[in-house]
Amino acid sequence: MSLAATKTPAKSEAQSRSQAREVRKFLMGMAISAIVALIAWTYLRPLYFSINQSLGRAAVESDQPQYPSSVRKFTYQGKELELYNVPTESGVKQLAMIDKSRSSSVFIDPSNPTQQITWEGSWRSLKRIYEFNPLYSNYPEASKQLDFVHYFRNTLIVSILATLGTVLSGIMVAYGLARYRLPYLPVLMGILQTTLILPREVMIVPTYIIFYKLGWVGTWLPLFLPLFFGNSFAIFLLRQFFLAIPRELDEAAMLDGANPMQILWKIIVPLAGPAIISVAIFQFIFSWNDVFSPVLYLAGKDDLQMISPALNRFSSAYGQANPQLTAAAGMLASMLPVGLFLLAQRPYFRAMMMPGLDK
Amino acid sequence: MIAEPKKHVSLDVLERRWGWFFISPWLIGLVLFFFGPMIYSFVLSFTDYNVVENTGKFIGLKNWLTIFTDPIVQKSMLVTLRYMLVSVPILLFAPFMLALFLNSKHLWAKGFFLTLFFLPQLLPPVVVGLIWQGTLNTRGPINQFLESLGLPGPSWLTDAWAVIPAMAIIGLWSIGGSILQLIAAMKNVPGELYEAATIDGSTSFTSFWKITVPLTSSVLLFSVITQVIAAFQYFTIPFVLYRGQGGPDDAGLFFMLMLFKEAFQYFNTGKASALAWILFIVCFTVTQALFFISRRYVYYAGEVRE
């Protein structure tokens, strides 16, 4: 009995100490998370602004709140009247304006519309009442004006072809570089690493000349065909992954009479699934978002043009007068890459971890 | 059975043949799309060739010397350099701070926050340009914020002096990759190091300076070099914001934009070839420096882990 009595307070003391630690940990977590949330909110503020803009109206009043909104109206005798916050003797009231003038204005109370109220003072000092009222119709409107479906289709086809080329050639070349004792392998790897880090912009003038001579300018060929001849990023990433697959698997299959092609497709590719998905997603998003190549090779070819240059031209034409349509079109163009990323973050992050590719 | 050794030799040759077969697409691609164009454009860089009119004659080193003689070329190099000076420190410090926060053991929902900081990088660059065009508008949210603090908001995109700072601010939307690499580097630092330091009486502040910073410094250095290359290829954002021109007083005429104009608006193919080669040499040098550093880094990290 006495033993139990001495034990209990000791236990609760330890318990309360660990409880205090828990509380401290919780508070620390809350504080740091709050700071990070605040930074993230600031960081993404322009995106929030743009989403609001895409649901807003062409003309934005100076007193308008930042969310998509319109002035609250009161319909009386077939007329739409704007509601104002009007200070009266019995506090601030929401009144509908009938007639405005510099020194006094006439209002009615929506709850008692038959009685007119005259308010002394400049109506400009009064604040209008805004309500949340997003204009979802901006999206179909922007889609129609931009001919979004047409460019979406073009971009989708080119991105899929580019991804296909990158994956197919990447698998083959990476396997060759990972498994075969080729002469000059260090030299080949050096070339691979150099082309990996060198920005493609460096090559744009020389390759343009070649594509021009080949008659490829004004077609989709420059945007995807070179990728069937290897993309250093895909080759490098897949090679790293293939190197980690035990060689014994290849050898066992070889003893069973499989040829190298069969080994590659039946054994290596299934095992390298995650790496291949990383490469595919990365290339797809890269091709989808690309503006440099399509601007260059598809200038003036509206029937073949991709979404980014089309959007850029759309904003030049509509940006000033209709910023809400440009913003909505931008959101439409972003949906596929952002959606893909949200679905497959892990493979995307894996591809991004490659040094020198954070472009 | 007797033929065994001979078969081995032929297998080796056969194996090698398979190897060449597998890498053949890449080798063909290298010749067609890398070495071939590079050599051809090197030859063209000594001519005043025009790809559309298909005319040109040998003019010697004149194209290469434009970096000393042509004021537009010099202006673009100055713009690029100025951008580097402003953006590199920002793009080094900001991802480092964010990586510290995102790597904190106290932070809730790490994956969610990482996704948020990564999100802008997934947007098409044209959309990024358009979003910032609205954000940096004279009456946009940034200037509204400055106004609320009683500060005068500049006309970010049309005041020549504000162009580079504006570009650097926009550059903050591309730090996802750096954050990721820094977090990986911080995770690589063995926890025992911090524990040992704490036992030895080190405060978390000294641990930070004596452990975290040195052990991530290679990634930081790597990041600097990547930023330098990125500055040279900086194209899409100024291209979108200034409609393919140089912006106010050519303050946004980045090297790549100038190169693009020379090559594809004026079709001075010879001159553009020389400028592209200069760009290539700069980037190649920087890249080799990068390899040198990263090789040392790999060695360094391996040693720590043991």
Side-chain angles (χ1 to χ4, degrees):
Chain A
M1 198 65 197
S2 64
L3 226 141
T6 50
K7 225 174 192 176
T8 317
K11 201 175 179 182
S12 74
E13 197 180 304
Q15 222 166 18
S16 72
R17 206 181 301 143
S18 86
Q19 247 171 12
R21 205 181 300 134
E22 284 294 305
V23 169
R24 213 176 309 133
K25 210 177 129 194
F26 176 82
L27 289 176
M28 193 72 180
M30 197 160 74
I32 288 194
S33 304
I35 295 171
V36 174
L38 190 70
I39 299 173
W41 168 241
T42 316
Y43 189 73
L44 292 176
R45 205 48 213 283
L47 185 59
Y48 171 77
F49 170 75
S50 193
I51 292 171
N52 278 337
Q53 204 177 26
S54 77
L55 294 167
R57 282 140 188 87
V60 178
E61 308 289 333
S62 56
D63 61 341
Q64 200 161 338
Q66 280 175 343
Y67 53 82
S69 55
S70 60
V71 178
R72 190 177 290 165
K73 299 265 174 61
F74 173 67
T75 312
Y76 181 63
Q77 293 180 340
K79 269 196 267 183
E80 286 214 318
L81 306 171
E82 292 186 331
L83 282 170
Y84 281 77
N85 271 327
V86 183
T88 59
E89 292 108 34
S90 49
V92 176
K93 275 190 177 166
Q94 299 191 353
L95 301 177
M97 184 186 277
I98 288 184
D99 187 36
K100 62 190 174 197
S101 79
R102 208 172 300 160
S103 56
S104 71
S105 302
V106 183
F107 292 92
I108 51 169
D109 190 336
S111 58
N112 181 18
T114 48
Q115 194 191 343
Q116 294 198 346
I117 305 163
T118 307
W119 182 76
E120 301 291 325
S122 170
W123 66 276
R124 283 179 194 281
S125 67
L126 296 173
K127 284 221 160 63
R128 279 182 292 191
I129 300 164
Y130 283 93
E131 58 188 358
F132 179 69
N133 185 7
L135 210 59
Y136 295 111
S137 62
N138 284 342
Y139 279 76
E141 179 67 15
S143 169
K144 203 179 86 192
Q145 301 268 4
L146 173 66
D147 200 358
F148 178 70
V149 178
H150 168 72
Y151 297 112
F152 185 91
R153 200 198 53 145
N154 286 351
T155 316
L156 191 65
I157 295 172
V158 171
S159 303
I160 287 175
L161 286 171
T163 307
L164 198 69
T166 300
V167 168
L168 287 178
S169 65
I171 288 172
M172 270 183 74
V173 178
Y175 186 65
L177 289 173
R179 281 296 195 261
Y180 291 91
R181 267 156 293 160
L182 292 165
Y184 311 114
L185 192 61
V187 178
L188 292 175
M189 288 309 296
I191 294 174
L192 181 68
Q193 289 196 328
T194 304
T195 53
L196 177 70
I197 307 282
L198 269 185
R200 71 195 168 125
E201 280 81 355
V202 164
M203 295 299 301
I204 208 73
V205 177
T207 42
Y208 183 87
I209 300 168
I210 299 288
F211 292 150
Y212 190 88
K213 299 265 171 194
L214 289 170
W216 288 9
V217 173
T219 72
W220 283 344
L221 293 174
L223 305 183
F224 73 86
L225 201 60
L227 294 166
F228 278 88
F229 293 91
N231 167 348
S232 26
F233 150 71
I235 296 171
F236 198 83
L237 193 135
L238 289 174
R239 180 178 176 267
Q240 298 291 91
F241 206 86
F242 291 172
L243 285 175
I245 298 174
R247 217 174 245 276
E248 288 76 32
L249 288 176
D250 300 44
E251 280 159 10
M254 210 188 295
L255 286 177
D256 289 345
N259 71 35
M261 251 333 204
Q262 288 169 323
I263 295 172
L264 176 57
W265 292 107
K266 298 253 167 73
I267 294 172
I268 303 293
V269 168
L271 283 173
I276 294 171
I277 291 170
S278 304
V279 167
I281 290 176
F282 194 86
Q283 180 64 46
F284 184 89
I285 294 178
F286 186 84
S287 288
W288 182 279
N289 287 349
D290 193 14
V291 58
F292 199 75
S293 302
V295 157
L296 202 53
Y297 295 114
L298 298 173
K301 290 271 172 182
D302 229 17
D303 48 334
L304 297 175
Q305 191 53 281
M306 310 249 287
I307 187 77
S308 281
L311 182 62
N312 192 29
R313 223 194 31 213
F314 181 76
S315 88
S316 308
Y318 290 85
Q320 293 298 321
N322 288 305
Q324 84 285 11
L325 291 186
T326 309
M331 293 303 134
L332 286 174
S334 311
M335 273 172 189
L336 196 59
V338 170
L340 250 184
F341 166 71
L342 292 179
L343 278 178
Q345 279 175 59
R346 214 167 273 271
Y348 191 87
F349 280 152
R350 190 182 306 126
M352 282 300 292
M353 295 289 287
M354 291 277 294
L357 279 158
D358 49 339
K359 282 162 196 165
Chain B
M1 276 301 143
I2 302 158
E4 190 70 79
K6 201 181 168 191
K7 202 180 165 193
H8 242 308
V9 173
S10 68
L11 240 178
D12 205 42
V13 172
L14 191 71
E15 191 187 297
R16 189 167 285 181
R17 219 174 277 162
W18 271 107
W20 287 117
F21 164 73
F22 280 127
I23 70 166
S24 59
W26 179 54
L27 293 181
I28 296 169
L30 273 182
V31 172
L32 283 181
F33 306 121
F34 188 74
F35 289 113
M38 285 307 287
I39 294 165
Y40 188 47
S41 76
F42 186 71
V43 174
L44 290 182
S45 73
F46 300 102
T47 69
D48 60 357
Y49 183 69
N50 176 318
V51 73
V52 172
E53 288 166 14
N54 201 15
T55 55
K57 58 177 188 304
F58 180 77
I59 55 164
L61 278 174
K62 205 174 151 214
N63 288 330
W64 288 77
L65 294 176
T66 50
I67 52 165
F68 304 112
T69 56
D70 189 332
I72 292 294
V73 176
Q74 288 185 319
K75 173 85 190 181
S76 75
M77 293 201 296
L78 201 69
V79 167
T80 307
L81 199 69
R82 211 181 285 154
Y83 172 74
M84 254 183 246
L85 288 177
V86 176
S87 74
V88 169
I90 295 175
L91 297 183
L92 209 57
F93 180 75
F96 191 77
M97 289 312 292
L98 284 171
L100 278 179
F101 271 120
L102 290 171
N103 198 38
S104 158
K105 62 174 190 266
H106 298 289
L107 181 66
W108 301 339
K110 278 182 197 176
F112 170 71
F113 282 120
L114 184 61
T115 305
L116 287 187
F117 286 110
F118 222 90
L119 201 62
Q121 212 151 333
L122 277 302
L123 301 171
V126 169
V127 176
V128 171
L130 295 176
I131 289 178
W132 281 96
Q133 198 166 38
T135 307
L136 293 169
N137 190 293
T138 35
R139 284 178 303 155
I142 289 202
N143 278 7
Q144 280 177 13
F145 174 72
L146 289 177
E147 234 167 75
S148 71
L149 295 179
L151 294 166
S155 175
W156 291 97
L157 298 171
T158 48
D159 284 353
W161 69 267
V163 167
I164 295 295
M167 296 293 149
I169 293 173
I170 299 173
L172 281 173
W173 259 23
S174 59
I175 57 176
S178 306
I179 294 178
L180 213 57
Q181 282 166 12
L182 281 165
I183 290 177
M186 288 173 184
K187 284 219 162 72
N188 255 344
V189 178
E192 304 92 70
L193 270 183
Y194 291 108
E195 281 164 30
T198 314
I199 290 165
D200 290 347
S202 163
T203 64
S204 52
F205 184 75
T206 45
S207 286
F208 170 76
W209 282 109
K210 295 273 161 74
I211 300 174
T212 312
V213 172
L215 287 185
T216 50
S217 62
S218 334
V219 180
L220 291 174
L221 219 61
F222 190 94
S223 170
V224 170
I225 291 169
T226 326
Q227 302 302 347
V228 170
I229 296 184
F232 270 108
Q233 66 187 89
Y234 202 57
F235 174 78
T236 309
I237 299 296
F239 180 78
V240 171
L241 291 179
Y242 298 120
R243 311 247 172 268
Q245 300 305 315
D249 202 13
D250 276 345
L253 187 71
F254 283 77
F255 189 85
M256 200 58 221
L257 202 57
M258 180 275 299
L259 181 57
F260 185 89
K261 284 173 73 178
E262 285 291 340
F264 310 113
Q265 284 178 12
Y266 311 135
F267 290 103
N268 291 330
T269 313
K271 185 179 174 189
S273 295
L275 292 171
W277 258 93
I278 291 166
L279 182 63
F280 173 79
I281 291 166
V282 171
C283 290
F284 185 79
T285 314
V286 175
T287 310
Q288 293 309 309
L290 174 77
F291 285 149
F292 179 71
I293 292 158
S294 70
R295 226 172 277 137
R296 286 190 53 167
Y297 166 63
V298 170
Y299 168 73
Y300 196 36
E303 210 181 42
V304 168
R305 232 175 273 137
E306 270 162 33

